[in-house]
Amino acid sequence: MPESQMVLEIRNLVKSYGERLILNGISLDIHEAEVLVVIGPSGCGKSTLLRCLNGLEPINSGDIYLDGGLITGPDTDWCEIRQKIGMVFQSYELFPHLTVIDNILLGPTKVQKRKRADVIPEANNWLERVGLLDRADAYPRQLSGGQKQRVAIVRALTMQPKVMLFDEVTASLDPEMVREVLDVMLELATQGLTMVIVTHEMGFARAVADKVIFMDKGVIVESAGPEEFFDHPQSERAKRFLNIFEFTGIHRVAAG
Amino acid sequence: MDTSFISQSLPLFAKATWLTLVLSFFGVVFSIVVGTFCAIINFYKIPVLRRIVYAYIEVARNTPLIVQLFFLYYALPRLGMVLDGKTCAVVGLTFLGGAYMAEAIRSGLQSVGRTQIETGMSLGFGKIKLMRYIIIPQALAVALPVISATTIFLMKETSVVSIVALHDLLYVAKDLLKEGHALQSNLMLVVCYLILILPVSLGFSYLERRSRFAGFGA
Ligand SMILES: Nc1ncnc2c1ncn2[C@@H]1O[C@H](COP(=O)(O)OP(=O)(O)OP(=O)(O)O)[C@@H](O)[C@H]1O
Ligand SMILES: [Mg+2]
């Protein structure tokens, strides 16, 4: 089987905040069309890892390659690189002063200098696929959380990135809206988009992942396919973590 | 009431109103420009410049406009720089107003959340485009009430420009006062200021409602 193209390559990434070591030597490969799901307890460094990947956090040491080119060198043009690495945040962060369509068009027209008329069909196509074409002229405040998050995903996609990073994008949504956002991501996975997804939705993680990594205290503890990881976790730490999501039924004894 | 007084003095008041309007317009526009630059310097904590901005804001806000105008008109020529009255007035208003606008806009800039900025960065926006398309539009909406108050404050402050030999509204009224038309000229003065300032005030209220409707900062 021919080796598929490597999109992101992380070698020995080390990151600390002051004295505190947050990422302690992370190495990872993300291949084209691969969906990597990152899970782990709160504070283990998942968000920090994603933020290092698109240069929102400076790193202490290690190398990151995008499409084979080193992006952690001293003269990296992050504005250039970030156009190829889309990121979606937990809190959606639509620009409140712009309508849905203008939120989506801002990056492509102002950063990439593409013509508005050229981008609109693409933007509309995405909006249609996430079921929001009729809200193109709405302002963010007029949308529900789930709708805002879908727009945020479309906004990142319309930049035509090589890889998309998702940081707990359903964590601040009401339960009934979680599904609509996860469905969009599942469809993107089917389409062959390369994605790195941090999530606490275990059912979704299992369904969407090609590979799961389990992190704890700044290191990768396990790295496996989804079935293998969820059915037969190797480490004690992963087993304990997965147990948090299990509920055992309580059998009430009828009184009297 | 003596109506002939009104018809006689009307051209004088009209001219003075126009002068006040012109001075206010340039004073306010330049104040916003200066204020924006100062606010951005503060926002990005640019070394050295930041200290200069700090000193400027303190000096400008803690000295009366009349003193600043005196300096421009009477002291600067001693240093070899002669400015005419109108230029002095506009420079003085800008000096004073820039400091207030800087504070207003700075509070607007600070209201834009960290993650909004990071979102812009993650879309590939560089510092300048980030400011222009994402931060400033939101900051202005938040700062609008204070910008509006400062604009009206500056328009009222123009009433001291007669000390740099400009025939503004107050000068005209005072002149007529001396001729014994105290009541009429005072009424005219009030009416002229209202004609100038009321529309501006209403215009800002409208803008504030609009920007709230657009969901700025929400
Ligand atoms: N700017 C910062 N300065 C100092 N410490 C930070 C900063 N950001 C994060 N940390 C610390 O780094 C550690 C890792 O944070 P990170 O946000 O990456 O965790 P996470 O795995 O994403 O957790 P969660 O599941 O709660 O989102 C945490 O202990 C956090 O307190
Ligand atoms: Mg996190």
Side-chain angles (χ1 to χ4, degrees):
Chain A
M1 192 176 105
E3 187 78 351
S4 69
Q5 185 78 33
M6 197 104 84
V7 177
L8 273 174
E9 218 180 315
I10 305 161
R11 293 281 165 269
N12 245 314
L13 179 61
V14 175
K15 161 77 189 169
S16 63
Y17 285 115
E19 298 284 278
R20 275 191 61 202
L21 205 53
I22 306 296
L23 299 177
N24 190 4
I26 301 278
S27 294
L28 254 181
D29 295 338
I30 297 145
H31 297 267
E32 180 140 17
E34 187 177 40
V35 178
L36 176 78
V37 168
V38 182
I39 65 178
S42 181
C44 71
K46 305 179 297 292
S47 296
T48 306
L49 174 63
L50 292 199
R51 294 165 59 80
C52 288
L53 293 184
N54 75 349
L56 288 177
E57 296 291 345
I59 64 172
N60 299 36
S61 64
D63 298 316
I64 304 171
Y65 299 86
L66 175 69
D67 271 342
L70 183 71
I71 60 171
T72 42
D75 39 36
T76 299
D77 178 0
W78 279 108
C79 291
E80 196 67 39
I81 301 301
R82 286 182 187 131
Q83 294 173 42
K84 299 182 191 151
I85 305 179
M87 180 146 179
V88 184
F89 296 82
Q90 180 178 330
S91 49
Y92 348 118
E93 301 296 333
L94 296 186
F95 304 129
H97 60 298
L98 299 176
T99 59
V100 165
I101 190 74
D102 286 331
N103 260 277
I104 298 167
L105 296 181
L106 195 69
T109 55
K110 303 303 178 198
V111 176
Q112 294 178 329
K113 301 262 196 297
R114 287 154 66 195
K115 285 211 187 67
R116 201 178 155 88
D118 296 344
V119 193
I120 285 178
E122 190 188 337
N124 283 341
N125 183 28
W126 280 120
L127 278 175
E128 170 136 48
R129 281 165 65 181
V130 303
L132 288 173
L133 189 54
D134 57 331
R135 306 313 310 270
D137 295 317
Y139 280 95
R141 62 167 194 105
Q142 300 165 315
L143 303 181
S144 72
Q147 292 175 327
K148 282 191 239 192
Q149 195 57 292
R150 284 181 279 157
V151 172
I153 293 172
V154 168
R155 179 175 62 183
L157 286 170
T158 311
M159 296 291 288
Q160 303 175 337
K162 294 268 176 189
V163 49
M164 288 271 287
L165 313 176
F166 295 86
D167 191 2
E168 296 195 45
V169 294
T170 57
S172 37
L173 293 178
D174 291 336
E176 71 269 23
M177 292 170 187
V178 168
R179 186 62 198 237
E180 65 194 40
V181 173
L182 296 184
D183 281 341
V184 166
M185 292 163 71
L186 274 166
E187 199 205 308
L188 294 174
T190 322
Q191 310 270 318
L193 184 70
T194 313
M195 304 196 270
V196 181
I197 301 173
V198 172
T199 185
H200 283 301
E201 303 281 342
M202 293 304 142
F204 166 70
R206 187 182 182 130
V208 80
D210 293 311
K211 189 164 88 182
V212 177
I213 62 169
F214 173 71
M215 282 176 66
D216 194 17
K217 302 196 173 77
V219 298
I220 296 174
V221 179
E222 279 193 43
S223 168
E227 273 77 31
E228 195 187 337
F229 176 76
F230 286 107
D231 295 338
H232 310 287
Q234 299 298 306
S235 64
E236 270 315 302
R237 277 189 279 181
K239 281 178 197 163
R240 245 183 293 131
F241 178 76
L242 288 174
N243 265 332
I244 303 169
F245 299 92
E246 301 288 332
F247 290 93
T248 326
I250 298 170
H251 301 284
R252 287 178 204 278
V253 181
Chain B
M1 206 159 97
D2 180 3
T3 46
S4 71
F5 163 79
I6 295 186
S7 59
Q8 275 166 25
S9 63
L10 208 54
L12 289 175
F13 275 109
K15 219 177 140 199
T17 304
W18 177 248
L19 176 72
T20 301
L21 186 66
V22 169
L23 295 180
S24 298
F25 177 80
F26 287 107
V28 168
V29 169
F30 292 149
S31 289
I32 291 175
V33 173
V34 169
T36 303
F37 273 107
C38 292
I40 290 173
I41 287 168
N42 272 332
F43 185 76
Y44 281 128
K45 302 189 168 64
I46 300 171
V48 188
L49 285 181
R50 184 180 173 211
R51 292 186 176 275
I52 296 172
V53 166
Y54 176 79
Y56 154 62
I57 289 175
E58 289 306 313
V59 171
R61 293 204 308 174
N62 294 306
T63 51
L65 177 60
I66 202 162
V67 173
Q68 295 166 11
L69 291 177
F70 248 87
F71 178 84
L72 292 170
Y73 199 63
Y74 298 105
L76 270 193
R78 297 293 170 86
L79 303 170
M81 204 165 141
V82 183
L83 301 176
D84 67 34
K86 278 185 197 154
T87 312
C88 277
V90 171
V91 171
L93 280 173
T94 303
F95 185 78
L96 178 70
Y100 281 94
M101 292 295 185
E103 291 292 279
I105 295 165
R106 185 181 59 103
S107 70
L109 293 178
Q110 280 172 349
S111 76
V112 180
R114 182 79 213 137
T115 332
Q116 275 279 307
I117 294 169
E118 285 178 350
T119 300
M121 289 164 70
S122 74
L123 287 168
F125 282 82
K127 271 205 163 93
I128 291 171
K129 284 183 181 166
L130 194 64
M131 259 295 156
R132 178 160 163 212
Y133 296 111
I134 295 167
I135 304 177
I136 290 195
Q138 294 185 57
L140 284 183
V142 171
L144 205 56
V146 189
I147 291 174
S148 150
T150 306
T151 299
I152 290 162
F153 159 75
L154 287 175
M155 292 182 79
K156 292 192 275 195
E157 282 292 295
T158 57
S159 57
V160 303
V161 296
S162 56
I163 67 130
V164 292
L166 292 177
H167 295 186
D168 77 320
L169 283 169
L170 209 67
Y171 176 90
V172 170
K174 263 201 293 204
D175 221 35
L176 295 167
L177 210 78
K178 282 184 231 149
E179 293 167 23
H181 301 282
L183 182 61
Q184 295 94 321
S185 68
N186 264 304
L187 276 174
M188 284 298 286
L189 190 59
V190 171
V191 169
C192 288
Y193 270 113
L194 282 179
I195 288 173
L196 272 174
I197 295 176
L198 216 50
V200 174
S201 184
L202 293 174
F204 270 113
S205 304
Y206 172 75
L207 275 181
E208 278 169 40
R209 272 199 311 278
R210 279 278 322 254
S211 63
R212 258 205 300 279
F213 175 74
F216 283 117

